[in-house]
Structure formats: C-alpha cells, structure tokens
Amino acid sequence: MGWFNAMCTSVARLDGKTAVITGCNTGIGKVTVQDFFERGARVIMACRNREKATQAAEEIKQATASKSNLGEIIVEELDLMSLKSVRSCAEKILAREKRIDLLINNAGVMTCPYGKTEDGFEIQFGTNHLGHFLLTLLLLPRICQSTPARIVNVSSVAHERGTINFDDLNWSQTPYSAIKAYGQSKLANVLFTKELHRKLREKNIKDVNVYSLHPGVIKTELARHVADTYGKGVKLLMSAMRWFFKTPLQGAQTTIYCAVDEKCASESGLYYAECAVKEPSQAAQNEADAKRLWSESLKLVGLPENYEPF
C-alpha cells in the first residue's frame, strides 16, 4: 500500500459520454474502466487480448451488479505494437461511435528486453508513444466534434531520466538500455501532450483538453519484465519494497482526476501527479523538441507532414 495516495473525490457523472481506454484488462486501466462504467459511461476497452479483456469486463460487471445507473462496456481489439492494428481499431471505433468524449492512453510496456514492434520500432517507443500517437490522431476529428472532451496520456516520473535521441529513436546504433528506452518513451508522452495542446489552441479548439501524468509506483503486471532485464535480485528487492507500492485503485486516481474532475476542466497541456499539477523535467518543457517529435512521429507512422486531424 503506497504512502502517498491522493484520491479523486469528484462525483461527476459520465452519462451519455463515450470513453476509449487502452490496455485496460488489468491494473490501473481496469480500475479506470470500472470507475467510468459506474459513472454511466459507454466504455470501449481497447486491448491486445480480446479474451482477457472480455473476462475483465465480466468481472467488472459482476463487481458492480448491486449498483444502479451503470454504463456500458464494449471490447475492441488493439495491439499498439502494430500500426495496422491501430488503424483497424480506430476505423471500427469511428464507424460505430458518434462521439468520443474521453481518450485514455493507458497501455504501456516497461523496461523490457530489446525487441522491435511489427513495424520495426523499438518496443517501448513504438508501444508507449507511436501507437498512442497514431491512435490519438486518427480519433481526434471525432473527439473535436464531441466537446468538451479530454485526452489523458499516462506517462511516468521516469520521463525525468529520459532524453529524446532524434538520431537513433529506435536504438538501432546505440547500445540498448531498457530503463533509458523507457524514459525516452515516457518523455515522449509528455512532449506529445504539450504539442497536441499547442496545436489545438493554435487551431482555436478550446474545448479539447490534454493531460499527462505520473500514476505512482504501482504493483501491476507492468513490471513483469524487470526480472528478465535486471535479474532476480532486483525482482526480490522490489518484492521487499512492496509496501511502498500503490494498489491499482490508488494508482488510477490521477488518471480519473484528469478525466472527470471539475477542478482541472479548464486546464490543458499540463503534467500531474497525486491529483495535482506538477512541474515536469526541463526536457519535457522543450518546445523545439516537442515540435520535432511531432514531425518525426508523423513520418514514422506513415502520415504526411501536412496531416490535419483538427
């Protein structure tokens, strides 16, 4: 049980609203699905494993069976390691959903051994940033039609140790470091948030707000690669420190806060932790890097330089 556990106290309802949440069959994503479902939202669980997501949806429905005014849960397949899958998922959502009020880019991988996505990207950069970058841009026109809307990007305090290596984003020449690659991907989440906010306001779109956040150190499946990367000794150390870790319920609170709380309804482009605005690293405030990352990301996901999702 974590020591620092701010809670979202908003009782705002989400009746009539549609939320898309990635990577949410376990951990803080699953908690977020249940929270939105209880608030009356139509929740789309966009997950890599349809069977596990369907099982999670049933577990949520069973856990809330005694409650009233619930929403709806729909499972959609999404593999962020495949741009083809991202495009397919976005196409299905756009064909079916008349509105998208909330997009929660929650899915992620952490400190995994070196590998590449289906499209040849380093796994952490490809999954944590590029997959969500493409999904967001493909859904953005519908989001902009559903105002007021919010986009929440789950980053990490690990962004503070990250740098964007524009000369080798996919670690093709650089000796691979799992933790540095993770830091780069999480820094990319914050820079993407900053640049998306800037572009929205540049286009005079004032009712789509964007947030990035650190959820806390949480005991979830996200750390499943730690032993593979650093050995059993580090895994044992993490086990010994488990009392300092948050539960998924505690870890989901800042995500929920950014998505529903009235207190941040007029904020955008900022970084949060413990349900409050925090100052990100200096690297995360570099406007030139944010612009360049946007441009480079467009190329990597196969979108034209003048792509206009607004």
Side-chain angles (χ1 to χ4, degrees), residues 4 43-44 75 79 92 97 106 125 137 150 171 173-174 178-179 186 189 201 203 220 234-236 275 296 307:
F4 304 102
V43 186
I44 299 172
V75 172
D79 182 356
K92 291 175 183 177
E97 306 301 329
N106 167 81
F125 185 70
L137 265 58
R150 303 189 195 187
W171 298 82
Q173 291 84 41
T174 310
I179 192 66
K186 295 288 98 179
N189 293 154
R201 296 306 182 262
K203 299 295 183 180
T220 71
V234 171
K235 189 173 184 180
L236 287 171
C275 299
E296 293 295 332
Y307 184 72

Side-chain angles (χ1 to χ4, degrees), residues 118-234:
E118 179 179 290
D119 304 280
F121 308 127
E122 186 274 318
I123 284 180
Q124 297 185 87
F125 185 70
T127 303
N128 297 347
H129 170 60
L130 290 175
H132 281 133
F133 175 85
L134 178 60
L135 179 68
T136 302
L137 265 58
L138 294 177
L139 297 182
L140 194 57
R142 187 63 43 83
I143 293 171
C144 290
Q145 296 168 5
S146 309
T147 56
R150 303 189 195 187
I151 299 169
V152 181
N153 297 318
V154 179
S155 180
S156 167
V157 70
H159 87 273
E160 295 179 358
R161 299 188 296 274
T163 58
I164 304 294
N165 183 357
F166 286 107
D167 295 324
D168 190 16
L169 288 170
N170 289 301
W171 298 82
S172 299
Q173 291 84 41
T174 310
Y176 184 68
S177 165
I179 192 66
K180 289 182 180 179
Y182 181 64
Q184 175 178 252
S185 73
K186 295 288 98 179
L187 174 57
N189 293 154
V190 185
L191 289 171
F192 172 45
T193 300
K194 294 281 187 183
E195 183 63 8
L196 179 55
H197 161 74
R198 189 189 69 79
K199 286 184 175 292
L200 285 165
R201 296 306 182 262
E202 182 180 71
K203 299 295 183 180
N204 202 34
I205 300 172
K206 299 179 179 179
D207 292 327
V208 177
N209 292 339
V210 196
Y211 310 78
S212 65
L213 64 96
H214 169 55
V217 181
I218 309 156
K219 185 173 177 56
T220 71
E221 291 185 5
L222 187 62
R224 60 187 175 272
H225 294 295
V226 170
D228 295 335
T229 305
Y230 296 105
K232 293 182 179 179
V234 171

Side-chain angles (χ1 to χ4, degrees), residues 10 17 24 83 126 144 160 181 284 286 298 305:
S10 172
K17 295 186 180 295
C24 51
L83 296 184
C144 290
E160 295 179 358
N286 189 314
L298 284 175
E305 187 176 351

